[in-house]
Coordinates of all heavy atoms in Angstrom, one line a residue:
M1 N 3.3 5.1 13.9 CA 3.2 6.2 13.1 C 2.2 7.1 13.6 O 1.2 6.7 14.1 CB 3.0 5.7 11.6 CG 1.7 6.1 11.0 SD 1.6 5.7 9.3 CE 0.6 7.1 8.7
R2 N 2.3 8.4 13.3 CA 1.4 9.4 13.7 C 0.5 9.7 12.5 O 1.0 10.0 11.4 CB 2.1 10.7 14.2 CG 1.3 11.6 14.9 CD 1.4 11.3 16.4 NE 0.8 12.4 17.1 CZ -0.1 12.3 18.1 NH1 -0.4 11.1 18.5 NH2 -0.6 13.3 18.7
Y3 N -0.8 9.7 12.7 CA -1.7 9.9 11.6 C -3.0 10.6 12.2 O -3.7 10.1 13.0 CB -2.1 8.6 10.9 CG -3.1 8.8 9.8 CD1 -2.7 9.4 8.6 CD2 -4.4 8.5 9.9 CE1 -3.6 9.6 7.5 CE2 -5.3 8.7 8.9 CZ -4.9 9.3 7.7 OH -5.8 9.5 6.7
K4 N -3.2 11.8 11.7 CA -4.4 12.6 12.1 C -4.5 12.7 13.6 O -5.6 12.5 14.2 CB -5.7 12.1 11.5 CG -5.8 12.3 10.0 CD -7.2 11.9 9.5 CE -7.3 12.2 8.0 NZ -8.6 11.7 7.5
G5 N -3.4 12.9 14.3 CA -3.4 13.0 15.7 C -3.4 11.7 16.5 O -3.5 11.7 17.7
L6 N -3.4 10.6 15.8 CA -3.5 9.3 16.4 C -2.2 8.5 16.3 O -1.5 8.7 15.3 CB -4.6 8.4 15.8 CG -6.0 9.0 15.8 CD1 -6.9 8.1 14.8 CD2 -6.5 9.0 17.2
W7 N -1.8 7.7 17.2 CA -0.7 6.8 17.1 C -1.2 5.5 16.5 O -2.1 4.8 17.0 CB 0.0 6.5 18.4 CG 0.8 7.7 18.9 CD1 0.5 8.5 19.9 CD2 2.1 8.1 18.3 NE1 1.5 9.5 20.0 CE2 2.5 9.2 19.0 CE3 2.9 7.7 17.3 CZ2 3.7 9.9 18.8 CZ3 4.1 8.3 17.0 CH2 4.5 9.5 17.7
V8 N -0.7 5.1 15.3 CA -1.0 3.8 14.7 C 0.2 2.9 14.8 O 1.3 3.3 14.2 CB -1.4 4.1 13.2 CG1 -1.8 2.7 12.6 CG2 -2.6 5.1 13.1
P9 N 0.1 1.8 15.5 CA 1.3 1.0 15.7 C 1.7 0.4 14.3 O 1.0 0.2 13.4 CB 0.8 -0.2 16.6 CG -0.4 0.4 17.3 CD -1.0 1.4 16.3
Y10 N 3.0 0.0 14.3 CA 3.6 -0.6 13.1 C 3.5 -2.1 13.4 O 3.6 -2.6 14.5 CB 5.1 -0.2 13.1 CG 5.8 -0.7 11.8 CD1 5.7 0.0 10.6 CD2 6.5 -1.9 11.8 CE1 6.3 -0.4 9.5 CE2 7.1 -2.4 10.7 CZ 7.0 -1.6 9.5 OH 7.6 -2.1 8.4
P11 N 3.2 -2.9 12.4 CA 3.0 -2.6 11.0 C 1.7 -2.0 10.7 O 0.6 -2.5 11.2 CB 3.2 -3.9 10.2 CG 2.9 -5.0 11.2 CD 3.2 -4.4 12.5
F12 N 1.7 -0.9 10.0 CA 0.5 -0.2 9.7 C -0.7 -1.1 9.1 O -1.8 -1.0 9.6 CB 0.8 0.9 8.6 CG -0.4 1.7 8.2 CD1 -0.8 2.8 8.9 CD2 -1.1 1.3 7.0 CE1 -1.9 3.6 8.5 CE2 -2.2 2.1 6.6 CZ -2.6 3.2 7.3
Q13 N -0.3 -2.0 8.2 CA -1.4 -2.8 7.6 C -2.1 -3.7 8.6 O -3.2 -4.1 8.3 CB -0.7 -3.6 6.4 CG -0.2 -2.8 5.3 CD 1.3 -2.4 5.5 OE1 1.8 -2.2 6.7 NE2 2.0 -2.1 4.5
N14 N -1.4 -4.0 9.7 CA -2.1 -4.8 10.7 C -2.9 -4.0 11.7 O -3.5 -4.6 12.6 CB -1.0 -5.6 11.5 CG -0.4 -6.7 10.7 OD1 -0.9 -7.0 9.6 ND2 0.6 -7.4 11.3
N15 N -2.8 -2.7 11.6 CA -3.5 -1.8 12.6 C -4.4 -0.8 11.9 O -4.6 0.3 12.5 CB -2.4 -1.1 13.4 CG -1.7 -2.1 14.3 OD1 -2.3 -2.6 15.2 ND2 -0.5 -2.4 14.0
I16 N -5.0 -1.1 10.8 CA -5.9 -0.2 10.1 C -7.1 0.1 11.0 O -7.7 1.1 10.9 CB -6.3 -0.9 8.7 CG1 -5.1 -0.8 7.8 CG2 -7.5 -0.2 8.2 CD1 -5.3 -1.6 6.5
S17 N -7.4 -0.8 11.9 CA -8.6 -0.6 12.8 C -8.4 0.6 13.7 O -9.3 1.1 14.3 CB -8.8 -1.9 13.6 OG -7.7 -2.2 14.5
M18 N -7.1 1.0 13.9 CA -6.8 2.2 14.7 C -7.2 3.5 14.0 O -7.2 4.6 14.6 CB -5.4 2.2 15.1 CG -4.9 0.9 15.8 SD -5.6 0.7 17.4 CE -4.7 2.0 18.3
L19 N -7.4 3.5 12.7 CA -7.7 4.7 11.9 C -9.1 5.1 12.1 O -10.0 4.3 12.5 CB -7.5 4.4 10.4 CG -6.1 3.9 10.0 CD1 -6.1 3.6 8.5 CD2 -5.0 5.0 10.3
P20 N -9.4 6.4 11.8 CA -10.8 6.9 11.7 C -11.6 6.0 10.7 O -11.0 5.5 9.8 CB -10.7 8.3 11.2 CG -9.3 8.7 11.6 CD -8.5 7.5 11.5
K21 N -12.9 5.8 11.0 CA -13.7 4.9 10.2 C -13.6 5.2 8.7 O -13.5 4.2 7.9 CB -15.2 4.9 10.6 CG -15.4 4.4 12.0 CD -15.1 2.9 12.1 CE -15.3 2.4 13.5 NZ -14.6 1.2 13.8
E22 N -13.6 6.4 8.3 CA -13.6 6.7 6.8 C -12.3 6.3 6.2 O -12.2 5.9 5.0 CB -13.9 8.2 6.6 CG -12.9 9.2 7.1 CD -13.1 9.6 8.5 OE1 -14.0 9.1 9.2 OE2 -12.3 10.5 9.0
D23 N -11.2 6.4 7.0 CA -9.9 5.9 6.4 C -9.8 4.4 6.4 O -9.1 3.8 5.6 CB -8.8 6.6 7.2 CG -8.7 8.1 7.0 OD1 -9.0 8.5 5.8 OD2 -8.4 8.8 7.9
Q24 N -10.4 3.8 7.4 CA -10.5 2.3 7.4 C -11.2 1.8 6.1 O -10.7 0.9 5.5 CB -11.3 1.8 8.6 CG -10.6 1.9 9.9 CD -11.4 1.4 11.1 OE1 -12.2 0.5 10.9 NE2 -11.3 2.0 12.2
V25 N -12.3 2.5 5.8 CA -13.0 2.1 4.6 C -12.1 2.3 3.3 O -12.1 1.5 2.5 CB -14.3 2.9 4.5 CG1 -15.0 2.7 3.1 CG2 -15.3 2.5 5.6
K26 N -11.4 3.5 3.3 CA -10.5 3.7 2.1 C -9.5 2.6 2.0 O -9.2 2.1 0.9 CB -9.8 5.1 2.3 CG -10.7 6.3 2.0 CD -9.9 7.5 2.2 CE -10.8 8.7 2.3 NZ -10.0 10.0 2.6
C27 N -8.9 2.2 3.1 CA -7.9 1.2 3.0 C -8.4 -0.2 2.6 O -7.9 -0.8 1.8 CB -7.2 1.1 4.4 SG -6.1 2.5 4.8
V28 N -9.5 -0.6 3.3 CA -10.1 -1.9 3.0 C -10.7 -1.9 1.5 O -10.4 -2.9 0.8 CB -11.2 -2.3 4.0 CG1 -11.9 -3.5 3.6 CG2 -10.5 -2.4 5.4
D29 N -11.4 -0.9 1.1 CA -11.8 -0.8 -0.3 C -10.7 -0.9 -1.3 O -10.8 -1.6 -2.3 CB -12.6 0.4 -0.5 CG -14.1 0.4 0.0 OD1 -14.5 -0.7 0.5 OD2 -14.7 1.4 0.0
G30 N -9.6 -0.2 -1.0 CA -8.4 -0.2 -1.8 C -7.8 -1.6 -1.9 O -7.4 -2.1 -3.0
M31 N -7.8 -2.3 -0.8 CA -7.2 -3.7 -0.7 C -8.1 -4.6 -1.6 O -7.5 -5.5 -2.3 CB -7.1 -4.2 0.7 CG -5.9 -3.6 1.5 SD -5.8 -4.4 3.1 CE -5.7 -3.0 4.1
I32 N -9.3 -4.5 -1.4 CA -10.2 -5.3 -2.2 C -10.1 -5.1 -3.7 O -9.9 -6.0 -4.5 CB -11.7 -5.1 -1.8 CG1 -11.9 -5.7 -0.4 CG2 -12.7 -5.8 -2.8 CD1 -13.2 -5.3 0.2
D33 N -10.1 -3.8 -4.1 CA -9.9 -3.4 -5.5 C -8.5 -3.9 -6.0 O -8.4 -4.4 -7.1 CB -9.9 -1.9 -5.7 CG -11.3 -1.3 -5.5 OD1 -12.3 -2.1 -5.5 OD2 -11.5 -0.1 -5.3
S34 N -7.5 -3.8 -5.2 CA -6.1 -4.2 -5.7 C -6.1 -5.7 -5.8 O -5.4 -6.2 -6.7 CB -5.0 -3.7 -4.7 OG -5.0 -4.4 -3.5
A35 N -6.7 -6.5 -4.9 CA -6.8 -7.9 -5.0 C -7.4 -8.3 -6.3 O -7.0 -9.3 -7.0 CB -7.4 -8.5 -3.8
L36 N -8.5 -7.7 -6.7 CA -9.2 -8.0 -7.9 C -8.4 -7.6 -9.1 O -8.3 -8.4 -10.1 CB -10.6 -7.3 -7.9 CG -11.6 -7.7 -6.9 CD1 -12.8 -6.8 -6.9 CD2 -12.0 -9.2 -7.1
E37 N -7.8 -6.5 -9.1 CA -6.9 -6.0 -10.2 C -5.7 -6.9 -10.4 O -5.4 -7.3 -11.5 CB -6.4 -4.6 -9.9 CG -5.4 -4.1 -10.8 CD -5.8 -3.9 -12.3 OE1 -7.0 -3.7 -12.5 OE2 -4.9 -3.9 -13.1
C38 N -5.1 -7.3 -9.3 CA -3.9 -8.2 -9.4 C -4.3 -9.5 -10.1 O -3.4 -10.0 -10.8 CB -3.4 -8.5 -7.9 SG -1.9 -9.4 -7.9
R39 N -5.4 -10.0 -9.9 CA -5.8 -11.3 -10.5 C -5.9 -11.2 -12.0 O -5.8 -12.2 -12.7 CB -7.1 -11.8 -9.9 CG -7.0 -12.1 -8.4 CD -8.2 -12.7 -7.8 NE -8.3 -14.1 -8.2 CZ -9.3 -14.9 -7.8 NH1 -10.3 -14.4 -7.2 NH2 -9.3 -16.1 -8.2
V40 N -6.2 -10.1 -12.5 CA -6.4 -9.9 -14.0 C -5.3 -9.2 -14.7 O -5.2 -9.1 -15.9 CB -7.8 -9.3 -14.3 CG1 -8.9 -10.1 -13.8 CG2 -7.8 -7.9 -13.8
A41 N -4.4 -8.6 -13.9 CA -3.3 -7.9 -14.5 C -2.4 -8.8 -15.3 O -2.1 -9.9 -14.9 CB -2.4 -7.2 -13.4
N42 N -2.0 -8.3 -16.5 CA -1.1 -9.1 -17.3 C 0.3 -8.5 -17.6 O 1.0 -8.9 -18.4 CB -1.8 -9.5 -18.7 CG -2.2 -8.2 -19.4 OD1 -1.9 -7.1 -19.1 ND2 -3.0 -8.4 -20.5
T43 N 0.5 -7.4 -16.8 CA 1.9 -6.8 -16.9 C 2.4 -6.6 -15.5 O 1.7 -6.7 -14.5 CB 1.7 -5.4 -17.5 OG1 0.9 -4.6 -16.7 CG2 1.2 -5.4 -18.9
K44 N 3.7 -6.5 -15.4 CA 4.4 -6.3 -14.1 C 4.4 -4.8 -13.8 O 4.4 -4.0 -14.7 CB 5.8 -6.8 -14.1 CG 5.9 -8.3 -14.2 CD 7.4 -8.7 -14.1 CE 7.5 -10.2 -14.0 NZ 8.8 -10.7 -13.8
P45 N 4.4 -4.5 -12.5 CA 4.4 -3.0 -12.2 C 5.7 -2.4 -12.7 O 6.8 -3.1 -12.7 CB 4.5 -3.1 -10.6 CG 3.9 -4.4 -10.2 CD 4.2 -5.3 -11.4
K46 N 5.6 -1.2 -13.2 CA 6.8 -0.5 -13.8 C 7.7 0.2 -12.8 O 8.8 0.4 -13.0 CB 6.3 0.5 -14.8 CG 5.6 -0.1 -16.0 CD 5.2 1.0 -17.0 CE 4.4 0.4 -18.1 NZ 3.0 0.4 -17.8
N47 N 7.1 0.5 -11.6 CA 7.8 1.1 -10.6 C 7.3 0.8 -9.2 O 6.3 0.1 -9.1 CB 7.9 2.7 -10.8 CG 6.5 3.3 -10.8 OD1 5.6 3.0 -10.0 ND2 6.3 4.1 -11.8
F48 N 7.9 1.3 -8.1 CA 7.5 0.9 -6.8 C 6.0 1.4 -6.5 O 5.3 0.7 -5.8 CB 8.5 1.5 -5.8 CG 8.3 1.1 -4.4 CD1 7.9 -0.2 -4.0 CD2 8.4 2.0 -3.3 CE1 7.8 -0.6 -2.7 CE2 8.3 1.6 -2.0 CZ 7.9 0.3 -1.7
D49 N 5.7 2.6 -7.1 CA 4.3 3.1 -6.8 C 3.3 2.2 -7.4 O 2.3 1.9 -6.8 CB 4.2 4.5 -7.4 CG 3.0 5.2 -6.9 OD1 3.0 5.6 -5.7 OD2 2.0 5.3 -7.7
E50 N 3.5 1.7 -8.6 CA 2.6 0.8 -9.3 C 2.5 -0.5 -8.5 O 1.4 -1.1 -8.3 CB 2.9 0.5 -10.7 CG 2.6 1.6 -11.6 CD 2.9 1.3 -13.1 OE1 3.1 0.1 -13.4 OE2 2.9 2.2 -13.9
W51 N 3.6 -1.0 -7.9 CA 3.6 -2.2 -7.1 C 2.8 -2.0 -5.8 O 2.0 -2.8 -5.5 CB 5.1 -2.6 -6.8 CG 5.2 -3.8 -5.9 CD1 5.3 -5.1 -6.4 CD2 5.2 -3.9 -4.5 NE1 5.4 -6.0 -5.3 CE2 5.3 -5.3 -4.2 CE3 5.2 -2.9 -3.5 CZ2 5.4 -5.7 -2.9 CZ3 5.2 -3.4 -2.2 CH2 5.3 -4.8 -1.9
I52 N 3.0 -0.8 -5.2 CA 2.2 -0.5 -4.0 C 0.7 -0.6 -4.3 O 0.0 -1.2 -3.5 CB 2.6 0.8 -3.4 CG1 4.0 0.8 -2.8 CG2 1.6 1.3 -2.3 CD1 4.6 2.2 -2.5
L53 N 0.3 0.1 -5.3 CA -1.1 0.1 -5.7 C -1.6 -1.3 -6.0 O -2.7 -1.6 -5.5 CB -1.3 1.0 -6.9 CG -1.2 2.5 -6.6 CD1 -1.2 3.3 -7.9 CD2 -2.3 3.0 -5.7
R54 N -0.9 -2.1 -6.7 CA -1.3 -3.4 -7.0 C -1.4 -4.3 -5.8 O -2.3 -5.2 -5.7 CB -0.4 -4.0 -8.1 CG -1.0 -5.4 -8.5 CD -0.5 -5.9 -9.8 NE -0.5 -5.0 -10.9 CZ 0.2 -5.3 -12.0 NH1 1.0 -6.4 -12.1 NH2 0.2 -4.4 -13.0
M55 N -0.4 -4.2 -4.9 CA -0.4 -5.1 -3.8 C -1.2 -4.6 -2.6 O -1.6 -5.5 -1.8 CB 1.1 -5.3 -3.3 CG 2.0 -5.8 -4.4 SD 1.4 -7.2 -5.3 CE 1.1 -8.4 -4.1
Q56 N -1.3 -3.3 -2.4 CA -2.0 -2.8 -1.1 C -3.1 -1.9 -1.3 O -3.9 -1.6 -0.4 CB -0.9 -2.2 -0.2 CG 0.2 -3.2 0.1 CD 1.2 -2.7 1.1 OE1 0.9 -1.8 1.9 NE2 2.3 -3.3 1.1
G57 N -3.3 -1.4 -2.5 CA -4.4 -0.5 -2.8 C -4.2 1.0 -2.6 O -3.2 1.4 -1.9
K58 N -5.1 1.8 -3.1 CA -4.9 3.2 -3.1 C -5.0 3.8 -1.7 O -4.2 4.7 -1.3 CB -6.0 3.9 -4.0 CG -5.8 5.4 -4.1 CD -6.7 5.9 -5.2 CE -6.7 7.4 -5.3 NZ -5.7 8.2 -4.7
G59 N -5.9 3.3 -0.8 CA -6.0 3.8 0.5 C -4.7 3.6 1.3 O -4.2 4.6 1.9
V60 N -4.1 2.5 1.4 CA -2.9 2.2 2.1 C -1.7 3.0 1.4 O -0.9 3.6 2.1 CB -2.5 0.7 2.2 CG1 -1.2 0.5 2.8 CG2 -3.6 0.0 3.0
A61 N -1.8 3.1 0.1 CA -0.7 3.9 -0.6 C -0.8 5.3 -0.2 O 0.3 5.9 0.1 CB -1.0 3.7 -2.2
D62 N -2.0 5.9 -0.3 CA -2.1 7.4 0.0 C -1.8 7.7 1.5 O -1.2 8.7 1.8 CB -3.5 7.9 -0.3 CG -3.7 7.9 -1.8 OD1 -2.7 7.9 -2.6 OD2 -4.8 8.0 -2.3
I63 N -2.3 6.8 2.4 CA -2.3 7.1 3.8 C -0.9 6.8 4.4 O -0.4 7.5 5.3 CB -3.4 6.4 4.6 CG1 -4.7 7.1 4.2 CG2 -3.2 6.5 6.1 CD1 -6.0 6.3 4.7
F64 N -0.3 5.7 4.0 CA 0.9 5.2 4.6 C 2.1 5.0 3.7 O 3.2 5.6 3.9 CB 0.6 3.9 5.3 CG 1.9 3.2 5.9 CD1 2.6 3.8 6.9 CD2 2.3 2.0 5.4 CE1 3.7 3.3 7.5 CE2 3.5 1.5 6.0 CZ 4.2 2.1 7.0
M65 N 2.0 4.2 2.7 CA 3.2 3.7 1.9 C 3.9 4.9 1.2 O 5.1 5.0 1.2 CB 2.8 2.6 0.9 CG 2.4 1.3 1.5 SD 3.8 0.5 2.4 CE 4.8 0.0 1.0
R66 N 3.1 5.7 0.5 CA 3.8 6.9 -0.2 C 4.5 7.8 0.8 O 5.7 8.1 0.6 CB 2.8 7.6 -1.1 CG 2.4 6.7 -2.3 CD 1.4 7.4 -3.1 NE 1.0 6.7 -4.4 CZ -0.2 6.6 -4.9 NH1 -1.2 7.3 -4.3 NH2 -0.4 6.0 -6.0
P67 N 3.7 8.3 1.8 CA 4.4 9.2 2.7 C 5.6 8.6 3.5 O 6.6 9.2 3.6 CB 3.3 9.6 3.7 CG 2.0 9.3 3.1 CD 2.3 8.2 2.1
Y68 N 5.4 7.4 3.9 CA 6.5 6.7 4.7 C 7.7 6.5 3.8 O 8.8 6.8 4.2 CB 6.0 5.3 5.2 CG 7.0 4.5 5.8 CD1 7.4 4.8 7.2 CD2 7.7 3.5 5.1 CE1 8.4 4.0 7.8 CE2 8.7 2.8 5.8 CZ 9.0 3.0 7.1 OH 10.0 2.3 7.7
N69 N 7.5 6.0 2.6 CA 8.7 5.8 1.7 C 9.3 7.0 1.3 O 10.6 7.1 1.1 CB 8.3 4.8 0.6 CG 8.2 3.4 1.1 OD1 9.3 2.8 1.3 ND2 7.0 2.9 1.3
F70 N 8.6 8.1 1.1 CA 9.2 9.4 0.8 C 10.0 9.9 1.9 O 11.1 10.4 1.7 CB 8.1 10.4 0.4 CG 8.7 11.7 0.0 CD1 9.2 11.9 -1.3 CD2 8.9 12.8 0.8 CE1 9.8 13.1 -1.8 CE2 9.5 14.0 0.4 CZ 9.9 14.1 -0.9
K71 N 9.6 9.7 3.1 CA 10.3 10.1 4.3 C 11.6 9.3 4.4 O 12.7 9.8 4.7 CB 9.5 9.9 5.6 CG 10.2 10.4 6.8 CD 9.2 10.3 8.0 CE 9.9 10.8 9.3 NZ 9.0 10.8 10.4
V72 N 11.6 8.0 4.1 CA 12.8 7.1 4.2 C 13.7 7.4 3.1 O 14.9 7.5 3.3 CB 12.3 5.6 4.2 CG1 13.5 4.7 4.0 CG2 11.6 5.3 5.5
W73 N 13.2 7.5 1.8 CA 14.1 7.5 0.6 C 14.3 8.9 0.1 O 15.2 9.1 -0.8 CB 13.6 6.6 -0.4 CG 13.5 5.2 0.0 CD1 12.4 4.5 0.3 CD2 14.6 4.3 0.3 NE1 12.7 3.2 0.8 CE2 14.0 3.1 0.8 CE3 16.0 4.4 0.3 CZ2 14.8 2.0 1.2 CZ3 16.7 3.3 0.7 CH2 16.2 2.1 1.1
A74 N 13.4 9.9 0.5 CA 13.5 11.3 0.0 C 13.2 11.4 -1.5 O 13.7 12.3 -2.2 CB 14.8 11.9 0.4
V75 N 12.6 10.4 -2.1 CA 12.1 10.5 -3.5 C 10.7 9.9 -3.6 O 10.4 9.0 -2.8 CB 13.1 9.7 -4.5 CG1 14.4 10.3 -4.5 CG2 13.2 8.2 -4.1
P76 N 9.9 10.3 -4.5 CA 8.6 9.8 -4.6 C 8.6 8.3 -5.1 O 9.6 7.9 -5.8 CB 7.9 10.6 -5.7 CG 8.9 11.6 -6.1 CD 10.2 11.4 -5.4
T77 N 7.6 7.5 -4.7 CA 7.6 6.1 -5.0 C 7.6 5.9 -6.5 O 8.0 4.9 -7.0 CB 6.4 5.4 -4.4 OG1 5.2 6.1 -4.7 CG2 6.6 5.3 -2.9
T78 N 7.1 6.9 -7.3 CA 7.0 6.8 -8.7 C 8.4 6.8 -9.3 O 8.7 6.4 -10.5 CB 6.2 7.9 -9.4 OG1 6.6 9.2 -8.9 CG2 4.7 7.7 -9.0
S79 N 9.4 7.3 -8.6 CA 10.8 7.4 -9.1 C 11.6 6.2 -8.7 O 12.8 6.1 -9.1 CB 11.5 8.7 -8.5 OG 10.8 9.8 -8.9
V80 N 11.1 5.3 -7.9 CA 11.8 4.1 -7.5 C 11.5 3.0 -8.6 O 10.3 2.6 -8.7 CB 11.5 3.6 -6.1 CG1 12.2 2.4 -5.8 CG2 11.7 4.8 -5.1
S81 N 12.5 2.6 -9.3 CA 12.2 1.7 -10.5 C 12.0 0.3 -10.0 O 12.5 -0.1 -9.0 CB 13.2 1.9 -11.5 OG 14.2 0.9 -11.4
N82 N 11.5 -0.5 -10.9 CA 11.4 -1.9 -10.8 C 12.1 -2.5 -12.0 O 11.6 -3.5 -12.6 CB 9.9 -2.4 -10.7 CG 9.8 -3.8 -10.3 OD1 10.6 -4.4 -9.7 ND2 8.7 -4.4 -10.8
A83 N 13.2 -1.9 -12.3 CA 13.9 -2.3 -13.6 C 14.3 -3.7 -13.6 O 14.3 -4.4 -14.7 CB 15.2 -1.4 -13.7
L84 N 14.7 -4.3 -12.5 CA 15.1 -5.7 -12.5 C 13.9 -6.7 -12.2 O 14.1 -7.9 -12.2 CB 16.2 -5.9 -11.4 CG 17.4 -5.1 -11.6 CD1 18.4 -5.4 -10.4 CD2 18.1 -5.5 -12.9
G85 N 12.7 -6.1 -12.0 CA 11.6 -6.9 -11.8 C 11.7 -7.7 -10.5 O 11.1 -8.8 -10.4
T86 N 12.3 -7.1 -9.5 CA 12.6 -7.8 -8.3 C 11.5 -7.7 -7.2 O 11.5 -8.4 -6.2 CB 13.9 -7.4 -7.6 OG1 13.8 -5.9 -7.4 CG2 15.1 -7.7 -8.5
L87 N 10.5 -6.8 -7.4 CA 9.4 -6.7 -6.5 C 8.4 -7.8 -6.7 O 7.9 -8.0 -7.8 CB 8.7 -5.3 -6.6 CG 9.6 -4.1 -6.3 CD1 8.8 -2.8 -6.7 CD2 10.0 -4.1 -4.9
P88 N 8.2 -8.6 -5.7 CA 7.3 -9.8 -5.9 C 5.9 -9.4 -6.0 O 5.4 -8.5 -5.3 CB 7.5 -10.6 -4.6 CG 8.0 -9.6 -3.6 CD 8.7 -8.6 -4.3
V89 N 5.2 -10.0 -6.9 CA 3.8 -9.7 -7.1 C 3.0 -11.0 -6.7 O 3.1 -12.1 -7.3 CB 3.4 -9.4 -8.6 CG1 1.9 -9.3 -8.8 CG2 4.2 -8.1 -9.0
V90 N 2.4 -10.9 -5.5 CA 1.6 -12.0 -5.0 C 0.2 -11.6 -4.8 O -0.1 -10.7 -4.0 CB 2.2 -12.4 -3.6 CG1 1.4 -13.6 -3.0 CG2 3.7 -12.7 -3.7
C91 N -0.7 -12.2 -5.7 CA -2.1 -11.8 -5.6 C -2.8 -12.7 -4.6 O -2.5 -13.9 -4.4 CB -2.7 -12.1 -7.0 SG -2.0 -11.1 -8.3
F92 N -3.6 -12.0 -3.8 CA -4.4 -12.7 -2.8 C -5.7 -13.3 -3.4 O -6.3 -12.6 -4.2 CB -4.7 -11.8 -1.6 CG -3.5 -11.3 -0.9 CD1 -2.9 -10.1 -1.2 CD2 -2.8 -12.2 0.0 CE1 -1.7 -9.7 -0.5 CE2 -1.7 -11.8 0.7 CZ -1.1 -10.6 0.4
T93 N -6.0 -14.4 -3.0 CA -7.2 -15.1 -3.6 C -7.9 -15.9 -2.5 O -7.3 -16.2 -1.4 CB -6.8 -16.0 -4.7 OG1 -7.9 -16.7 -5.2 CG2 -5.7 -17.1 -4.3
T94 N -9.1 -16.2 -2.7 CA -9.9 -17.0 -1.8 C -9.9 -18.5 -2.2 O -10.4 -19.3 -1.5 CB -11.4 -16.5 -1.7 OG1 -11.9 -16.6 -3.0 CG2 -11.5 -15.1 -1.2
D95 N -9.2 -18.7 -3.4 CA -9.1 -20.1 -3.9 C -8.2 -20.9 -2.9 O -7.2 -20.5 -2.5 CB -8.6 -20.2 -5.3 CG -9.4 -19.4 -6.3 OD1 -10.6 -19.3 -6.0 OD2 -8.9 -19.0 -7.3
M96 N -8.6 -22.1 -2.6 CA -7.8 -23.0 -1.8 C -7.4 -24.2 -2.5 O -8.1 -24.8 -3.2 CB -8.5 -23.4 -0.5 CG -8.7 -22.2 0.4 SD -7.2 -21.7 1.1 CE -7.7 -20.6 2.4

């Protein structure tokens, strides 16, 4: 993917290190926040956008997931429903 004049290999989430430092921080901070939020959330995401935020965080959502999915589906991620509850919610944890 092309981002701020750089080529970031796919999958994006595995190549965050290719981003400018400030965007790396946004992505990693967002992932940490989403992991913490996921552990205490007691509701399922209502739409694809909420799922993205819960699973990958705001940084990855803003930089990659929302723009990429809009390009693919031509609708905002907030318009893609989770009516059947089929999007898996897997919280990451350090517990073993």
